[in-house]
């Protein structure tokens, strides 16, 4: 049996971010014992991926950043361009391999921290106010962990009941072109010059790392993912026809699916006040955008602050209730087709000051700023959608 103050299940963005922030010593001055459990190499480990977020000033993980930008662009279907200057904020890109390597270096000699590779099964509360984490190591041997607090970042097997569920699904190519076609000063956040699907919306997403290199993604908000072949056809069309890249080499790829749902995620597993869900499992994904990394950092810092103070380290809601309500209205309006997605997002970036819009998208805006943003969207369809939400039944919708 391995005993600890804290067990963190999963070493993705949420688990590693929390481990990185936890204090090495408890309020009593004793060394805090933390066990970070990562699944062995195989299907339970998430694939390599890229996280993006915006941040003002130096950041905790800047050493792992591939690139950052202070200009964003949104392009309409007709080619209209909205360009926004973000300074002093910057849009940052971190690849998971670099993030994991940075955190591993920083945690290597942390007192009281132990990393183990194991597959976690049941996590159960015990009568002695501790928690048992049952696991199996890579050799198949049983591993019994006990802790005061458990933070579980494993993806949910089933989404909580929801009224609306869209998927943000995407595939990206890291490319190198023969000629200089990219603007390394600006990110194309949403380029709607893609072929639009019958339901939902699609856009191109370009993160340039130089004049010849970029991550180019094709993204859809819709009911179901595409096949790899369909994504590649869409990327081929976008890079050749829209971006006019000419000859290029695909260096690597990434692909993913992010649920966009108005489900309410319970941060206490099974109602237990010692087992907490964090990250995507704890509702950190912003339903209307799919952004997760910044909310994970806020949640991790709040937990670490409570641990330092000797308080119950309950993860706070990643997004306030007001933001979740507005997301629910937007998702329903998009899913029913009452609003034109490309037109709505272009209008927001065109008519709302960049600093206010970024605060809104990051769930940090005040109520009067939310109202100002709401007045820039199609008001009548949104009001109709808001009026019907209380009458819609929540259902357990498929995860993918």
């Amino acid at each position: 049996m391995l005993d600890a103050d804290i067990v963190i299940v999963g070493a993705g963005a949420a688990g590693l971010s929390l481990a990185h922030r936890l204090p090495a010593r408890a309020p009593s001055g004793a060394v805090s014992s933390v066990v970070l459990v990562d699944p062995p190499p195989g299907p339970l480990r998430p694939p390599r991926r890229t996280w993006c977020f915006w941040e003002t000033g130096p950041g905790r993980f800047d050493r792992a950043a591939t690139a950052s930008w202070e200009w964003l662009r949104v392009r309409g279907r007709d080619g209209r361009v909205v360009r926004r200057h973000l300074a002093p904020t910057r849009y940052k890109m971190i690849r998971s391999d670099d993030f994991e390597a940075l955190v591993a270096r920083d945690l290597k000699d942390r007192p009281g921290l132990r990393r183990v590779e194991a597959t976690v099964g049941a996590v159960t509360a015990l009568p002695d106010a501790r928690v048992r984490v049952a696991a199996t190591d890579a050799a198949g041997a049983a591993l019994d962990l006990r802790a005061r607090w458990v933070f579980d970042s494993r993806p949910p097997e089933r989404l909580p009941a929801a009224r609306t569920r869209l998927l943000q699904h995407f595939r990206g190519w890291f490319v190198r072109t023969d000629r200089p076609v990219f603007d390394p000063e600006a990110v194309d956040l949403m380029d709607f010059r893609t072929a639009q699907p019958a339901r939902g919306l699609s856009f191109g997403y370009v993160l340039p790392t130089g004049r010849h290199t970029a991550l180019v993604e094709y993204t859809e908000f819709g009911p179901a993912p595409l096949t790899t072949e369909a994504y590649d056809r869409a990327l081929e069309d976008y890079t050749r026809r829209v971006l006019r890249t000419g000859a290029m080499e695909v260096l690597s790829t990434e692909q993913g699916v992010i649920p966009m749902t108005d489900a309410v995620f319970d941060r206490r597993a099974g109602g237990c006040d010692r087992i907490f869900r964090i990250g995507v499992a704890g509702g950190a994904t912003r339903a209307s955008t799919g952004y997760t990394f910044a909310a994970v950092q806020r949640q991790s810092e709040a937990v670490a602050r409570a641990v330092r103070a000797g308080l119950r380290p309950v993860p706070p809601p990643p997004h306030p209730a007001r933001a979740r309500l507005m997301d629910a209205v937007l998702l329903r309006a998009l899913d029913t087709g009452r609003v034109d997605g490309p037109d709505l997002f272009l209008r927001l970036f065109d008519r709302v000051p960049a600093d206010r819009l970024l605060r809104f998208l990051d769930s940090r805006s005040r109520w009067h700023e939310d109202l100002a943003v709401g007045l820039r969207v199609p008001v009548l369809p949104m009001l109709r959608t808001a009026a019907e939400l209380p009458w819609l039944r929540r259902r357990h919708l498929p995860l993918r």
Side-chain angles (χ1 to χ4, degrees):
M1 185 176 70
L2 184 58
D3 208 0
D5 295 318
I6 293 172
V7 168
I8 302 171
V9 180
L16 289 176
S17 297
L18 179 56
H20 198 262
R21 281 179 160 82
L22 285 174
R25 294 189 177 275
S28 64
V31 172
S32 295
S33 54
V34 177
V35 176
L36 176 61
V37 187
D38 199 17
L44 292 180
R45 282 203 178 178
R48 294 175 180 174
R49 56 229 180 270
T50 299
W51 299 303
C52 289
F53 57 101
W54 42 88
E55 188 172 42
T56 301
R60 187 181 192 92
F61 301 114
D62 281 356
R63 289 171 293 156
T66 302
S68 68
W69 305 266
E70 60 180 49
W71 289 92
L72 291 182
R73 278 191 301 255
V74 176
R75 299 178 186 267
R77 282 170 292 196
D78 58 359
R80 180 185 173 195
V81 178
V82 175
R83 184 179 169 98
R84 287 288 176 258
H85 192 217
L86 307 182
T89 300
R90 295 188 72 88
Y91 191 76
K92 299 180 179 182
M93 167 189 179
I94 293 180
R95 301 185 71 175
S96 59
D97 282 357
D98 298 326
F99 175 79
E100 291 164 8
L102 181 149
V103 175
R105 288 194 301 270
D106 288 353
L107 296 183
K108 183 179 178 182
D109 299 316
R110 178 75 61 87
L113 176 71
R114 179 171 177 179
R115 298 189 67 166
V116 299
E117 285 190 354
T119 302
V120 172
V123 180
T124 53
L126 299 175
D128 63 354
R130 296 186 71 77
V131 179
R132 177 176 183 262
V133 179
T136 306
D137 67 18
L143 180 63
D144 191 15
L145 306 174
R146 305 290 172 97
R148 294 180 61 206
W149 315 104
V150 173
F151 297 91
D152 193 344
S153 68
R154 290 175 296 174
E157 295 181 358
R158 185 172 75 159
L159 288 174
R163 293 164 295 200
T164 308
R165 186 231 60 176
L166 291 174
L167 298 178
Q168 180 178 155
H169 54 95
F170 58 90
R171 180 170 169 83
W173 288 348
F174 290 89
V175 302
R176 178 185 293 123
T177 59
D178 285 356
R179 60 186 186 85
V181 296
F182 300 113
D183 174 7
E185 300 299 320
V187 167
D188 281 298
L189 192 67
M190 289 179 154
D191 185 347
F192 293 110
R193 294 176 295 171
T194 51
Q196 294 299 312
R199 181 179 171 192
L201 60 93
S202 74
F203 56 89
Y205 178 46
V206 182
L207 296 166
T209 54
R211 297 287 293 169
H212 296 263
T213 55
L215 168 59
V216 182
E217 288 188 352
Y218 173 81
T219 301
E220 285 192 13
F221 293 178
L226 307 180
T227 63
T228 298
E229 293 74 17
Y231 286 123
D232 283 342
R233 286 194 299 271
L235 278 165
E236 184 74 21
D237 176 71
Y238 180 61
T239 54
R240 306 291 188 185
R241 177 182 61 84
V242 178
L243 299 182
R244 299 180 181 177
T245 56
M248 68 178 185
E249 177 186 5
V250 178
L251 305 174
S252 61
T253 65
E254 67 175 33
Q255 189 168 321
V257 179
I258 302 171
M260 305 172 71
T261 170
D262 66 351
V264 178
F265 289 79
D266 189 351
R267 285 162 287 125
R268 289 178 171 86
C272 177
D273 61 1
R274 291 185 175 273
I275 309 170
F276 306 114
R277 295 187 179 97
I278 57 173
V280 173
T285 299
R286 181 75 195 262
S288 59
T289 65
Y291 283 103
T292 305
F293 193 81
V296 162
Q297 304 314 313
R298 292 195 297 270
Q299 199 176 55
S300 299
E301 180 55 36
V303 169
R305 204 163 44 239
V307 171
R308 285 193 294 269
L311 303 175
R312 185 177 298 275
V314 181
H319 306 286
R322 189 174 68 250
R324 297 197 303 271
L325 174 60
M326 296 181 76
D327 285 350
V329 174
L330 176 59
L331 288 179
R332 177 70 180 175
L334 288 173
D335 194 36
T336 58
R338 288 185 189 134
V339 297
D340 180 286
D343 177 70
L344 181 146
F345 285 108
L346 185 70
R347 182 187 300 192
L348 283 176
F349 278 89
D350 186 35
R351 300 184 181 181
V352 179
D355 57 344
R356 179 184 299 168
L357 184 57
L358 291 184
R359 284 196 300 275
F360 172 76
L361 295 176
D362 211 20
S363 303
R364 294 184 295 108
S365 52
R366 299 174 181 271
W367 70 267
H368 64 276
E369 293 177 312
D370 291 344
L371 178 62
V373 171
L375 293 175
R376 299 298 185 269
V377 301
V379 175
L380 291 180
M382 290 300 198
L383 288 177
R384 176 187 171 189
T385 303
E388 78 175 7
L389 278 180
W391 309 102
L392 297 176
R393 184 170 62 91
R394 291 183 179 270
R395 298 172 294 140
H396 283 285
L397 301 167
L399 184 61
R400 294 191 176 184

